[in-house]
Amino acid sequence: GAAATVCLAARQWHSPFSAVGAMPDMTLLELDPAETLHFCKTAATTSPSRVLRLTNVGDSCVAFKMKTTAPKAYLVRPSAGTVRPGEHQEVQIILQPQGCEGTSSHRFMVLAAAVKDADPVSREEWAKISKDALQERTLNVVLEDRDSEHAAPGGKANEASLPSVASEGHRDLRDKYEELVTYTLRLEQEHRKLQAELAKLQCAKPSASGGGFSTLSCVLAVLLALIAAYVAPSLG
């Protein structure tokens, strides 16, 4: 369906183990959090997000790739990349409203491999990496639902749970941020589709040239118009 959109570049995986045994545990990257991704759902935040920080603790470039057992339940940005020695990459993980059921069975896997440089690793190149050179770390998912924590036992309002004006403003800002992140991810997917179509056109007409605006310029103009149409109302 439409939710299959930008959810995750990696396909659904079943088990990190195979007939030849498990891949080595993660030593190339330091993960924060290291074992469990905690999400907090409230009445105002129906799509909770979490940041996974990947730090390269080695002396060579490391390529990483994210996988999950529930690819339609999450938006992940970026789902793959390369981290230079001593540097880190923050991965934004957004739990979609339709994915909030059954999160206790959800799992994420981070795959990593040492590479010679910081260039992006294609799907074909990932397929050529031997299992002995791959490292993995599996993360559990925990969802905390605070929708029912607004009142104290006995029907009396809990003063500690009453939000202040400042906390309401912070919540609105967080919601707006999550909306923008979700919208950006969708734009990135559309951008990738347009780039693929542009590549097909260039292959079909390698020698075509002429005046006027290029197809890429038109694509960029459309993307900028979409961003402007979304951001303008939120600034007003």
Side-chain angles (χ1 to χ4, degrees), residues 104-123:
S104 60
S105 64
H106 293 178
R107 299 289 183 274
F108 275 86
M109 176 190 280
V110 182
L111 287 174
V115 291
K116 61 179 190 245
D117 53 43
D119 291 340
V121 178
S122 67
R123 182 179 299 180

Side-chain angles (χ1 to χ4, degrees), residues 179-235:
E179 288 176 8
L180 287 172
V181 170
T182 302
Y183 187 71
T184 301
L185 289 171
R186 289 172 181 166
L187 281 179
E188 286 182 350
Q189 185 202 25
E190 293 301 321
H191 186 207
R192 286 194 294 270
K193 288 181 179 178
L194 290 171
Q195 283 183 321
E197 292 175 5
L198 177 60
K200 290 180 181 178
L201 288 173
Q202 289 175 336
C203 290
K205 299 180 180 180
S207 61
S209 61
F213 295 103
S214 66
T215 305
L216 180 58
S217 298
C218 294
V219 168
L220 293 176
V222 171
L223 287 175
L224 289 174
L226 287 173
I227 295 172
Y230 181 83
V231 173
S234 62
L235 295 178

Side-chain angles (χ1 to χ4, degrees), residues 16-222:
F17 302 95
S18 63
V20 296
M23 287 176 278
D25 190 28
M26 185 68 66
T27 58
L28 294 171
L29 296 173
E30 182 179 272
L31 277 60
D32 182 20
E35 296 179 355
T36 305
L37 293 169
H38 289 271
F39 295 87
C40 181
K41 181 188 174 197
T42 67
T45 308
T46 56
S47 296
S49 64
R50 183 63 201 249
V51 172
L52 174 64
R53 185 184 178 100
L54 308 176
T55 302
N56 186 344
V57 293
D59 53 7
S60 63
C61 291
V62 175
F64 73 89
K65 180 166 62 172
M66 301 289 299
K67 291 189 175 185
T68 181
T69 56
K72 293 184 178 181
Y74 299 91
L75 296 174
V76 180
R77 177 176 179 258
S79 61
T82 307
V83 188
R84 291 183 173 86
E87 297 185 1
H88 70 271
Q89 172 70 58
E90 291 188 346
V91 179
Q92 182 86 17
I93 304 173
I94 302 175
L95 176 59
Q96 297 290 78
Q98 70 271 17
C100 290
E101 298 296 329
T103 53
S104 60
S105 64
H106 293 178
R107 299 289 183 274
F108 275 86
M109 176 190 280
V110 182
L111 287 174
V115 291
K116 61 179 190 245
D117 53 43
D119 291 340
V121 178
S122 67
R123 182 179 299 180
E124 292 74 17
E125 290 171 328
W126 271 107
K128 293 177 182 178
I129 299 176
S130 67
K131 283 199 172 183
D132 292 338
L134 286 173
Q135 294 185 2
E136 58 88 15
R137 173 70 59 83
T138 302
L139 301 172
N140 298 319
V141 173
V142 172
L143 175 62
E144 180 182 357
D145 193 342
R146 294 185 180 176
D147 287 348
S148 60
E149 296 181 5
H150 297 293
K156 293 183 179 180
N158 185 350
E159 293 181 1
S161 68
L162 294 176
S164 64
V165 175
S167 63
E168 287 286 355
H170 176 73
R171 184 179 299 169
D172 291 341
L173 254 164
R174 181 186 178 88
D175 291 344
K176 183 60 66 178
Y177 168 75
E178 290 180 352
E179 288 176 8
L180 287 172
V181 170
T182 302
Y183 187 71
T184 301
L185 289 171
R186 289 172 181 166
L187 281 179
E188 286 182 350
Q189 185 202 25
E190 293 301 321
H191 186 207
R192 286 194 294 270
K193 288 181 179 178
L194 290 171
Q195 283 183 321
E197 292 175 5
L198 177 60
K200 290 180 181 178
L201 288 173
Q202 289 175 336
C203 290
K205 299 180 180 180
S207 61
S209 61
F213 295 103
S214 66
T215 305
L216 180 58
S217 298
C218 294
V219 168
L220 293 176
V222 171

